[in-house]
Amino acid sequence: MSSKGGTALSRRNYRLASDTDKPKVTGIVNEKLLSDYLHHVFPASSKQGPASAAYRKTLTFQDLGAHLEKLLAEDNVTEDSRDQIEGCLGPSTVVLDHSSGFEGLLFVDDDLLGVIGHSNFSSIRATTCAYKGKWVYEVLISSQGLMQIGWCTLNCRFNQEEGVGDTPDSYAYDGNRVRKWNVTTTNYGKSWAAGDIVSCLIDLDEGTITFCLNGQSLGVAFSNIKTGPGVAYFPAISLSFKESVAFNFGSRPLRYPVEGYLPLQSPPTTDLINANRLLGYLKTVLSTSIDTQEEKLVERDSGTWQIQGDPTILVTLAHIFNHFAPLMCKVYLVEDVLMNFLLSILEGGGSVEEHPLIQQLLDLFWLLMEDHEVSECLKQLMMSLLRAYRFSPIIPDLGFQIHYLRLTTAILRHEKSRKYLLSNVLFDVLRSVVFFYIKTPLRVKEAGLEELILTTWWPTRFDKEGKDEKDTREETAEERLRRRAYERGCHRLKKRIEVVEELQVQILRLMLNNKDKGTGEASRYIFLNKFRKFLQENASNRGNPTVLCPPEYMVCFIHRLITAIRSYWDEGKRKSPGSISSEDAYVPPQLFYNGKVDYFDLQRLGGLLSHLKKTLKDDLAAKANIIIDPAEIQASSMDDLDEDEETGAAQRPSGAVAMGGALARPSWLSSPTLGRANRFLSTAAVSLMTPRRPLAPPEKVKVRTLAVEQRTEEDIEGSHGNDGLLLGRPLDEPDQPITEKSLLEILDGVVMMYNLSVHQQLGKMVVVSDDVHEYAVALKDTEEKIARCPSRRLDILEELQKSQKVFAEKLNHLSRRLAWINATIYSKEKMLDVYWLLRVCIRTIEHSDSTDSLFAFMPEFYLNVAMNSYSALKNYFSPSNCMEELPGYEETLTQLAAILAKHFADPRIVGTDIKDSLMQALASYVCYPQSLRAVEKIPEDQRMAMMRNLLAPYEQRPWAQTNWILVRLWRGCGFGYRYTRLPHLLKTKPEDANLPSLQRDLSIASFQKPCPSLLLQRHMAELLCQDKDMAASFLNSVLNQLNWAFSEFIGMIQEIQQAAERPERNFVDTRQLKVCATCFDLSVSLLRVLEMTITLVPEIFLDWTRPSAELLLRRLAQLLNQVLNRVTAERNLFDRVVNLRLPGLESVDHYPILVAVSGILVRILVDSDKQGISRAASVLLSDPCFQLRSIQYLLGEGDAGAASADHKHFSLHTYTDYISTEEEQKVEQMLTFLTEESKQAAASTAPTSEDDLCPICYAHSISAIFKPCSHKSCKACINQHLMNNKDCFFCKATITGVDDYTKPASS
């Protein structure tokens, strides 16, 4: 072992110098000075009495060993202290009883102190019980869900429904429901949160049980508990699925010791005394120097001490460490002695760099301790630090968190220690991501937020739809003062949180250091490989709670990582001006196909990787000069065969269940720091054997596969012409240096992290903002009611005032919590991080798209992150930060619009989920004016291609979203189609918080104000005019889907009506109601698309020189008549179901569907030319389903006595806010025209023989004969049939042609 600036010494091989040897050893001081020095460092104890310098025995190195052992033996406790204290039974080391003391399914950590529930309600107790005296143990709460913590006797029997506190002689505290349990339950204590510590106290002399939360007593929970012979109480817990805790029975110092109460596991008293004594000797050495010139000892500042190779001091330290080193392998002593000593060094303040003593001490540790000792010491030290950081209470200045992070930074500044911890501890044993987490306080008062944020504020102005009014010009002076005071408090809080965040970034910058190559591989490359495994663990084990990193940790980690990456990126830019800045960062496409970066089993845009390697191997060779080894293709194919089996095995609980003595593996959620066994699957990366890049066309490169941990710096960064991670640059990709290649892989990992859980967590935390809004609306409503309350109704006034007080208190609490969340999660800086990630994804997609077929290798998550990060910026960060203020916002919107427009129908993308996501994102995009304008700004050829894809026939593809997009482009232009929300839905809540992100976006987007796109409407018209075949097939598919959707809707409301009329009480399935409402909404939207088409391109229906025009018009008329007849019949099925007003069918109403039909009819019967009107009228009136009464119904002109007094008749006249006067007049004009036309048609209709009617519809005369079979029907029936089928109705022969048929004259 060696260290810079020191002499290599091994404690094990060190030979003490004898008196005769001393004169030969250079640097050893004279005998008297040495004796004075050793007596100063190792003074005699007070028991031996003070000895003057003249009479004390001369002390030399030869005597020092015996002298030191004598000093350490003086205070030894001869017996184990537990044996001297009555009242406790069981092993001296207290752990959870994993062999017999449990019920249900549990995961237990390797140290038998951490536990996760893995069934409905699992219970477990400890191995030790108490029967007399006062005892305490602590529980570290890792998740804040349903748990009951306390004490039970051996006779208590638990099951999946009853746990601790649900049986006699068991007592529990439940901070989730804020109750205490002993068969019955009552309110007790405070609510707990993840990161809290619960102390469980039992006094068996007085018969009481008490609980404390973070050191504050919650009061006596139970008194007069059963005691006496045969009664002993075990620590016990019951917890529900995925809930987790860690116990401290005394194996570590109690965080909140209680006077008079003993931990169940006694502290190592002798070791503790010796460790403190040895530490005192060490401090004396650090603060004493030997002046050999003056031959005296000099006091010095220990903070400036350095290892300088002085043999006297080094030999002295070697003697100290001979005893000190073994003690520093014990967790209790590391936490109580070493950690507190190191923390005291940093207490003076100043930057960590101003305290070099910690670096010197770590050098000393590596110099004088065995490797296994220093390794164990560092591991235990980091575990203690992490535990202390995670479970420290929040105070206003975040002092505890800053304290522990400063020491962590100081330790990681030591190169050798940092590399050891990175290689063996930080990711393999510790959940080091916890260091980057800033927990949110659940109890505002205890966190001191009332002192930081003295004044609270919340929105008090809302529009008629319940949304916040953002215009502050109407604020009163008092409201303005409150808001500004609140904003100042939020700013103070943010500044304090930024101190913690800066320390966290420093820690990450140390881990990402790539210049510390003096002692082996640089830190960054160790971090990179561990980080990749961390991602694999979280990507491959979704749903396994023991492996996944909690998303709240991921959110904080990703922000610190982005800051650290960008700082290193820009440092590299300053050193290499030719590279790109972090503002323009992207991930080059070759990372996706050259095999250097492992993407585990994550889906690629083009499907399975093995399939892509086979089908695109020629493209890889031609475009990227990469040859895939045929053996590797065969191997990957075999892997695919085993994929299901491997995936199943990977997703089985990898921790052993606490059964039959088997130890369960630890997890993220249970023990806050204890080790995880290595459960990573073997990962693959590719190392490339490349010669120098010649000037001639590059040679084809074969690849060989390496495991992640086998990769070296050269494999990643490349050297001597080897491109490292960037091997296989496409010919079109610019040959410009981007940045250090290791940063590119970390950036790729950051994008993956966002996709894994960060976006989900960002959406989850919005609930606090939603709660503030809801309570603010409730408070305002209550205040208005108080103002209107009659003075004589004091009882009502009193209740309203109580409600007002409750709402105000809740808002005071929530507004302070929201300030914390806005500072840690939704601040301007965090918004810029997410925005930067969005732009990285956009540029990456653009570069990858330029590789043509190789685009299929890109992982799907890049497109997902591009869509989700935009959604987060739009929905989660507002209104605290405005997206429009982001730099380059409009350009980014346009770039994203181009990506959505191009790739929602990209044939290179095969995954149905990602295709649906792209379609939903585009549908949401066109609902907002700014993003719609961005779509209009993309190049015209891309806009036309997008519209062509949208107008593809609806069969064989998910058409509902396509139809939604077309409807949004039209909304605001249609008949009575300028509403934001339907008239009868104005007061309902628009969004569903339980929907997935993109679906929730659509739900919100559907309530945006109409913003039609005339430009895209024009493109649609051009395409339908130019391509007659496409127009016919598109409209035929729309009519088919309308027929299906409306028929399904009618069938479902028949079932709902029958269920409602049954005498017995029954409930309609909510899912059925939802499907029914969806079919109705689809019918309305399909009608609107027909309205848009007939308005933009009327000739498709009315110009009968176009093929299929007459048929399309007849089909349209038939469907319109069916819809009108079903909806307008008096006392019909539709009326009855609408009047039931069932939850889930809120959108089903007369207005939306009737105005959509009216719009189509007005367009063909009023706004067309004379010939078109004539054709439309003749087709409509000739349809046997036509009823003039249905048209009269639109204006409330049905049968005179049909409408009863209790049912208001529908009429377009009543919707003056939604339908213009001009539109009303057009409907009246249409009614007048149809009334006249129907009279004339009735007068001129000649009776027809039944034999001459079409045998299919019996509505029209036979007018067509089929070839070759000579069967007959009307033209409408055969033309409609031939659009979907080529077989004859009657004989199933293939129809080759259709001729006009005229009945021959009778003889």
Side-chain angles (χ1 to χ4, degrees):
M1 292 175 286
S2 62
S3 176
K4 289 182 282 186
T7 307
L9 288 174
S10 168
R11 176 171 55 82
R12 185 168 47 199
N13 299 325
Y14 179 71
R15 184 171 64 89
L16 296 178
S18 66
D19 289 336
T20 55
D21 294 333
K22 282 174 198 167
K24 303 173 186 175
V25 181
T26 308
I28 297 289
V29 297
N30 67 56
E31 185 174 315
K32 180 180 180 304
L33 186 57
L34 176 62
S35 179
D36 290 345
Y37 175 71
L38 293 178
H39 276 294
H40 177 70
V41 174
F42 305 104
S45 67
S46 56
K47 292 180 183 178
Q48 298 175 1
S52 67
Y55 294 103
R56 68 189 176 197
K57 181 183 175 183
T58 301
L59 192 58
T60 65
F61 281 135
Q62 191 172 19
D63 311 320
L64 181 57
H67 176 72
L68 187 52
E69 286 182 6
K70 183 180 177 183
L71 290 176
L72 295 176
E74 285 175 0
D75 294 320
N76 280 1
V77 180
T78 53
E79 296 180 72
D80 186 78
S81 57
R82 256 288 288 285
D83 296 336
Q84 299 174 7
I85 303 171
E86 287 188 29
C88 208
L89 291 173
S92 58
T93 301
V94 187
V95 293
L96 295 173
D97 187 351
H98 66 286
S99 58
S100 60
F102 69 92
E103 171 63 39
L105 192 61
L106 297 150
F107 286 112
V108 181
D109 278 356
D110 284 342
D111 64 352
L112 299 181
L113 293 174
V115 62
I116 295 184
H118 204 67
S119 58
N120 185 41
F121 202 50
S122 311
S123 303
I124 192 167
R125 65 172 183 261
T127 55
T128 298
C129 62
Y131 62 89
K132 188 170 77 172
K134 298 180 178 181
W135 302 93
V136 61
Y137 71 93
E138 290 182 342
V139 181
L140 286 64
I141 305 295
S142 301
S143 63
Q144 63 192 50
L146 179 60
M147 295 180 280
Q148 293 172 200
I149 300 171
W151 303 85
C152 74
T153 63
L154 190 63
N155 295 327
C156 292
R157 294 289 176 263
F158 305 127
N159 55 43
Q160 294 286 307
E161 302 298 329
E162 293 183 337
V164 181
D166 297 324
T167 63
D169 300 333
S170 67
Y171 305 88
Y173 160 51
D174 174 2
N176 177 260
R177 292 173 289 189
V178 196
R179 304 183 77 80
K180 60 181 180 180
W181 297 80
N182 174 234
V183 183
T184 59
T185 177
T186 53
N187 292 334
Y188 173 78
K190 300 176 182 176
S191 60
W192 60 36
D196 285 343
I197 295 179
V198 175
S199 303
C200 304
L201 291 73
I202 189 166
D203 183 344
L204 290 160
D205 300 328
E206 296 293 331
T208 62
I209 291 176
T210 307
F211 297 94
C212 302
L213 189 63
N214 295 329
Q216 294 184 354
S217 176
L218 302 175
V220 174
F222 304 101
S223 54
N224 299 319
I225 65 171
K226 185 178 178 181
T227 57
V231 179
Y233 288 92
F234 292 82
I237 184 173
S238 298
L239 63 176
S240 56
F241 184 62
K242 289 189 181 180
E243 302 305 334
S244 55
V245 298
F247 287 84
N248 180 11
F249 298 113
S251 60
R252 301 183 301 274
L254 293 180
R255 187 60 183 270
Y256 301 105
V258 181
E259 188 177 354
Y261 286 80
L262 296 174
L264 287 164
Q265 180 172 327
S266 300
T269 312
T270 301
D271 287 344
L272 200 54
I273 293 168
N274 289 342
N276 279 306
R277 180 168 286 176
L278 288 163
L279 181 63
Y281 302 154
L282 176 61
K283 290 178 181 177
T284 307
V285 172
L286 299 180
S287 60
T288 306
S289 64
I290 304 173
D291 187 340
T292 53
Q293 302 294 324
E294 299 286 335
E295 294 194 350
K296 65 178 182 180
L297 306 180
V298 180
E299 291 293 323
R300 55 174 291 170
D301 178 11
S302 62
T304 58
W305 185 86
Q306 290 184 328
I307 301 178
Q308 295 176 334
D310 184 335
T312 304
I313 293 174
L314 285 176
V315 173
T316 306
L317 288 169
H319 277 88
I320 294 173
F321 272 84
N322 190 48
H323 299 276
F324 189 60
L327 296 176
M328 288 301 101
C329 297
K330 299 180 179 180
V331 58
Y332 195 104
L333 304 176
V334 168
E335 189 164 321
D336 195 55
V337 178
L338 181 61
M339 187 174 82
N340 287 331
F341 168 55
L342 296 176
L343 286 169
S344 68
I345 295 174
L346 295 173
E347 277 178 353
S351 67
V352 175
E353 292 83 354
E354 294 173 18
H355 299 279
L357 178 58
I358 291 178
Q359 307 300 302
Q360 296 295 316
L361 286 171
L362 289 169
D363 277 339
L364 202 58
F365 277 36
W366 285 103
L367 180 67
L368 297 178
M369 292 170 71
E370 299 287 356
D371 278 353
H372 70 89
E373 290 172 340
V374 72
S375 300
E376 183 65 19
C377 177
L378 283 172
K379 184 179 88 170
Q380 297 295 348
L381 179 58
M382 292 306 289
M383 288 170 68
S384 297
L385 272 173
L386 190 69
R387 189 182 299 113
Y389 174 78
R390 185 180 180 190
F391 290 95
S392 292
I394 299 289
I395 57 174
D397 64 353
L398 296 168
F400 290 123
Q401 285 74 15
I402 291 170
H403 204 37
Y404 298 124
L405 286 175
R406 277 165 55 82
L407 179 52
T408 306
T409 308
I411 293 168
L412 291 176
R413 278 174 52 78
H414 188 261
E415 182 179 319
K416 191 170 183 180
S417 302
R418 175 171 70 247
K419 290 184 179 179
Y420 164 73
L421 290 168
L422 269 173
S423 299
N424 303 288
V425 176
L426 291 178
F427 283 93
D428 297 320
V429 177
L430 290 185
R431 293 111 176 95
S432 54
V433 176
V434 176
F435 276 126
F436 310 107
Y437 175 52
I438 302 177
K439 63 183 177 183
T440 303
L442 196 64
R443 295 171 300 278
V444 165
K445 187 172 183 180
E446 289 173 25
L449 293 186
E450 290 181 350
E451 303 160 31
L452 269 178
I453 304 170
L454 299 169
T455 308
T456 56
W457 173 87
W458 51 84
T460 55
R461 298 180 181 280
F462 310 97
D463 59 22
K464 63 180 181 180
E465 294 178 11
K467 296 179 182 176
D468 300 353
E469 289 280 12
K470 294 180 184 176
D471 188 0
T472 57
R473 288 175 294 184
E474 297 181 11
E475 278 183 327
T476 63
E478 183 185 353
E479 286 173 342
R480 189 178 296 109
L481 283 173
R482 276 189 65 195
R483 178 173 58 81
R484 288 177 178 171
Y486 176 70
E487 288 170 353
R488 285 194 298 274
C490 293
H491 184 70
R492 285 193 297 271
L493 173 63
K494 185 181 170 190
K495 286 296 178 189
R496 297 187 179 191
I497 288 173
E498 283 174 354
V499 175
V500 176
E501 293 177 346
E502 179 55 37
L503 282 168
Q504 293 170 332
V505 172
Q506 282 181 34
I507 291 172
L508 265 177
R509 280 185 55 83
L510 289 167
M511 292 181 182
L512 292 179
N513 185 350
N514 66 335
K515 301 293 185 255
D516 53 349
K517 303 174 186 176
T519 55
E521 191 177 15
S523 300
R524 180 183 297 176
Y525 304 107
I526 305 172
F527 173 86
L528 181 56
N529 292 335
K530 297 294 181 182
F531 178 55
R532 207 72 199 175
K533 282 194 169 186
F534 166 78
L535 292 173
Q536 181 189 18
E537 191 177 50
N538 283 275
S540 304
N541 289 281
R542 289 190 176 188
N544 185 348
T546 64
V547 176
L548 296 183
C549 172
E552 58 268 27
Y553 297 175
M554 284 279 211
V555 172
C556 294
F557 184 35
I558 199 172
H559 286 300
R560 309 305 171 265
L561 200 49
I562 288 173
T563 306
I565 289 173
R566 294 194 67 176
S567 66
Y568 270 115
W569 194 303
D570 290 331
E571 283 176 19
K573 165 71 175 171
R574 288 191 289 274
K575 294 174 185 174
S576 172
S579 59
I580 64 174
S581 73
S582 66
E583 273 300 318
D584 303 315
Y586 70 95
V587 178
Q590 51 265 51
L591 259 69
F592 307 139
Y593 56 73
N594 66 13
K596 292 283 281 183
V597 177
D598 184 15
Y599 288 101
F600 332 125
D601 56 352
L602 296 178
Q603 191 72 15
R604 308 298 182 107
L605 292 176
L608 287 173
L609 180 61
S610 56
H611 169 73
L612 294 174
K613 282 181 177 178
K614 285 185 209 168
T615 55
L616 297 176
K617 61 182 180 182
D618 295 336
D619 296 61
L620 280 170
K623 296 175 182 176
N625 299 302
I626 288 179
I627 297 175
I628 302 294
D629 189 343
E632 188 174 329
I633 294 178
Q634 187 176 359
S636 63
S637 301
M638 295 302 293
D639 288 345
D640 289 340
L641 294 176
D642 298 333
E643 183 178 350
D644 291 340
E645 184 181 343
E646 288 181 9
T647 304
Q651 290 179 349
R652 291 186 199 111
S654 39
V657 178
M659 293 173 62
L663 287 184
R665 295 189 188 275
S667 73
W668 265 97
L669 296 173
S670 61
S671 172
T673 52
L674 197 73
R676 306 194 300 269
N678 191 347
R679 293 184 297 282
F680 297 118
L681 305 176
S682 61
T683 57
V686 177
S687 175
L688 302 157
M689 309 285 286
T690 35
R692 274 201 178 87
R693 185 184 291 273
L695 296 175
E699 298 177 8
K700 303 289 186 279
V701 178
K702 274 194 177 181
V703 298
R704 64 183 175 87
T705 302
L706 285 178
V708 166
E709 59 272 13
Q710 292 177 307
R711 294 190 306 173
T712 63
E713 179 183 345
E714 185 174 332
D715 292 319
I716 295 168
E717 299 291 358
S719 63
H720 306 300
N722 171 13
D723 281 341
L725 287 183
L726 299 188
L727 176 105
R729 180 175 61 84
L731 301 176
D732 297 336
E733 187 72 9
D735 190 12
Q736 176 192 10
I738 302 172
T739 187
E740 294 161 315
K741 299 178 181 68
S742 50
L743 290 180
L744 292 174
E745 185 173 343
I746 297 172
L747 175 57
D748 173 79
V750 167
V751 178
M752 191 190 298
M753 270 176 67
Y754 187 91
N755 184 62
L756 288 175
S757 58
V758 171
H759 181 73
Q760 165 197 357
Q761 182 66 13
L762 287 177
K764 187 177 174 184
M765 297 306 291
V766 175
V767 71
V768 179
S769 176
D770 292 343
D771 287 347
V772 169
H773 172 83
E774 288 184 16
Y775 277 104
V777 171
L779 179 62
K780 182 167 179 138
D781 183 51
T782 306
E783 288 170 345
E784 288 172 355
K785 286 177 181 175
I786 289 173
R788 296 196 306 268
C789 182
S791 55
R792 65 181 183 279
R793 294 305 304 269
L794 294 177
D795 55 336
I796 295 177
L797 184 63
E798 185 180 350
E799 288 299 320
L800 287 172
Q801 286 171 342
K802 282 182 184 175
S803 299
Q804 181 188 26
K805 183 182 178 183
V806 169
F807 291 147
E809 286 176 356
K810 191 72 177 174
L811 277 167
N812 280 325
H813 170 83
L814 284 173
S815 61
R816 290 186 172 103
R817 266 200 84 198
L818 184 61
W820 182 281
I821 289 169
N822 282 340
T824 54
I825 297 176
Y826 299 120
S827 69
K828 182 74 173 178
E829 292 73 22
K830 310 298 184 296
M831 187 179 193
L832 287 169
D833 284 346
V834 175
Y835 182 58
W836 180 74
L837 212 53
L838 167 62
R839 297 178 74 173
V840 165
C841 289
I842 287 174
R843 282 188 289 268
T844 302
I845 294 165
E846 289 173 345
H847 279 268
S848 192
D849 182 35
S850 66
T851 61
D852 297 328
S853 58
L854 300 186
F855 179 62
F857 281 96
M858 174 179 260
E860 284 184 355
F861 65 77
Y862 273 89
L863 280 170
N864 277 325
V865 172
M867 295 181 283
N868 286 332
S869 55
Y870 168 71
S871 165
L873 291 167
K874 178 163 57 70
N875 296 321
Y876 302 156
F877 286 88
S878 298
S880 53
N881 293 295
C882 186
M883 191 179 175
E884 288 75 8
E885 296 172 2
L886 294 169
Y889 167 69
E890 291 191 0
E891 180 191 355
T892 303
L893 271 187
T894 306
Q895 289 174 311
L896 183 57
I899 287 171
L900 296 176
K902 180 171 184 178
H903 298 303
F904 82 91
D906 191 334
R908 296 172 294 181
I909 300 176
V910 299
T912 53
D913 289 344
I914 189 68
K915 281 184 167 182
D916 286 349
S917 296
L918 285 163
M919 185 71 82
Q920 287 179 17
L922 183 61
S924 174
Y925 221 69
V926 298
C927 292
Y928 297 88
Q930 280 184 308
S931 49
L932 180 59
R933 298 291 88 84
V935 175
E936 294 178 343
K937 286 179 186 175
I938 65 177
E940 184 175 349
D941 59 329
Q942 292 184 25
R943 293 198 304 268
M944 293 295 282
M946 178 186 79
M947 293 307 298
R948 185 177 291 280
N949 286 325
L950 288 173
L951 295 175
Y954 282 1
E955 284 82 10
Q956 306 302 321
R957 72 189 185 99
W959 55 269
Q961 298 297 352
T962 301
N963 202 73
W964 165 267
I965 294 170
L966 294 174
V967 166
R968 288 303 309 192
L969 300 179
W970 177 243
R971 190 171 184 174
C973 297
F975 183 93
Y977 203 35
R978 292 168 294 279
Y979 54 80
T980 303
R981 307 192 70 196
L982 287 168
H984 62 292
L985 292 180
L986 276 179
K987 293 188 178 179
T988 57
K989 190 179 178 183
E991 56 184 293
D992 184 352
N994 298 318
L995 289 174
S997 173
L998 287 170
Q999 291 183 26
R1000 185 167 62 247
D1001 288 354
L1002 271 181
S1003 175
I1004 299 170
S1006 62
F1007 299 104
Q1008 298 303 310
K1009 292 180 180 177
C1011 51
S1013 171
L1014 300 180
L1015 175 63
L1016 296 178
Q1017 287 178 24
R1018 192 164 67 245
H1019 289 335
M1020 177 178 171
E1022 290 170 12
L1023 287 169
L1024 292 175
C1025 282
Q1026 294 165 5
D1027 193 334
K1028 296 181 180 180
D1029 291 338
M1030 182 185 75
S1033 59
F1034 167 69
L1035 284 167
N1036 182 56
S1037 68
V1038 173
L1039 292 166
N1040 285 342
Q1041 300 302 342
L1042 175 59
N1043 185 38
W1044 168 82
F1046 191 71
S1047 300
E1048 285 291 308
F1049 168 69
I1050 293 299
M1052 286 185 179
I1053 63 173
Q1054 284 174 344
E1055 293 177 16
I1056 292 168
Q1057 174 63 21
Q1058 288 167 6
E1061 287 177 347
R1062 290 189 192 123
E1064 69 273 14
R1065 183 170 182 177
N1066 57 82
F1067 299 94
V1068 183
D1069 182 15
T1070 54
R1071 188 179 171 200
Q1072 185 183 7
L1073 292 173
K1074 190 173 182 180
V1075 173
C1076 179
T1078 301
C1079 287
F1080 178 79
D1081 294 339
L1082 287 174
S1083 302
V1084 173
S1085 64
L1086 287 160
L1087 284 166
R1088 287 298 184 181
V1089 169
L1090 289 169
E1091 180 193 18
M1092 172 167 66
T1093 308
I1094 209 165
T1095 304
L1096 297 174
V1097 200
E1099 56 268 30
I1100 292 181
F1101 291 93
L1102 302 178
D1103 179 5
W1104 286 7
T1105 61
R1106 291 174 66 107
S1108 305
E1110 181 183 358
L1111 169 65
L1112 290 172
L1113 184 60
R1114 290 188 184 281
R1115 289 198 65 196
L1116 177 67
Q1118 182 185 24
L1119 284 169
L1120 293 180
N1121 282 326
Q1122 286 179 13
V1123 171
L1124 281 171
N1125 292 344
R1126 289 285 192 176
V1127 175
T1128 61
E1130 291 296 343
R1131 291 295 184 186
N1132 69 354
L1133 184 64
F1134 186 87
D1135 261 348
R1136 291 199 294 273
V1137 171
V1138 166
N1139 291 334
L1140 288 174
R1141 290 298 172 202
L1142 296 171
L1145 291 185
E1146 293 88 354
S1147 62
V1148 178
D1149 194 64
H1150 292 83
Y1151 179 84
I1153 197 161
L1154 289 181
V1155 290
V1157 172
S1158 302
I1160 298 172
L1161 291 175
V1162 164
R1163 184 64 189 84
I1164 60 176
L1165 294 172
V1166 178
D1167 293 340
S1168 295
D1169 57 32
K1170 190 172 182 181
Q1171 185 184 34
I1173 292 173
S1174 172
R1175 286 174 176 167
S1178 66
V1179 168
L1180 190 70
L1181 294 171
S1182 65
D1183 186 82
C1185 297
F1186 174 76
Q1187 295 182 28
L1188 186 62
R1189 180 191 53 75
S1190 298
I1191 309 297
Q1192 294 169 339
Y1193 183 95
L1194 299 175
L1195 296 173
E1197 298 179 11
D1199 297 336
S1204 60
D1206 62 334
H1207 177 59
K1208 192 175 180 182
H1209 203 297
F1210 175 85
S1211 172
L1212 294 177
H1213 292 308
T1214 60
Y1215 294 92
T1216 52
D1217 291 342
Y1218 295 85
I1219 296 176
S1220 66
T1221 308
E1222 181 187 359
E1223 287 171 338
E1224 283 186 42
Q1225 291 171 350
K1226 286 183 178 180
V1227 176
E1228 291 170 354
Q1229 183 181 341
M1230 176 183 72
L1231 177 58
T1232 304
F1233 171 71
L1234 285 176
T1235 303
E1236 188 60 37
E1237 288 292 311
S1238 61
K1239 287 178 183 176
Q1240 293 179 12
S1244 61
T1245 301
T1248 305
S1249 167
E1250 188 173 325
D1251 294 338
D1252 296 333
L1253 290 175
C1254 168
I1256 306 299
C1257 65
Y1258 285 92
H1260 305 290
S1261 299
I1262 294 173
S1263 55
I1265 185 168
F1266 316 156
K1267 288 185 178 179
C1269 61
S1270 300
H1271 286 112
K1272 306 177 188 70
S1273 76
C1274 65
K1275 283 185 179 177
C1277 286
I1278 187 58
N1279 287 344
Q1280 179 176 341
H1281 179 69
L1282 288 176
M1283 294 189 84
N1284 302 297
N1285 199 326
K1286 300 299 182 186
D1287 295 341
C1288 173
F1289 286 112
F1290 307 101
C1291 64
K1292 301 302 179 187
T1294 301
I1295 299 174
T1296 58
V1298 178
D1299 290 339
D1300 290 343
Y1301 172 79
T1302 307
K1303 184 181 177 182
S1306 57
S1307 56

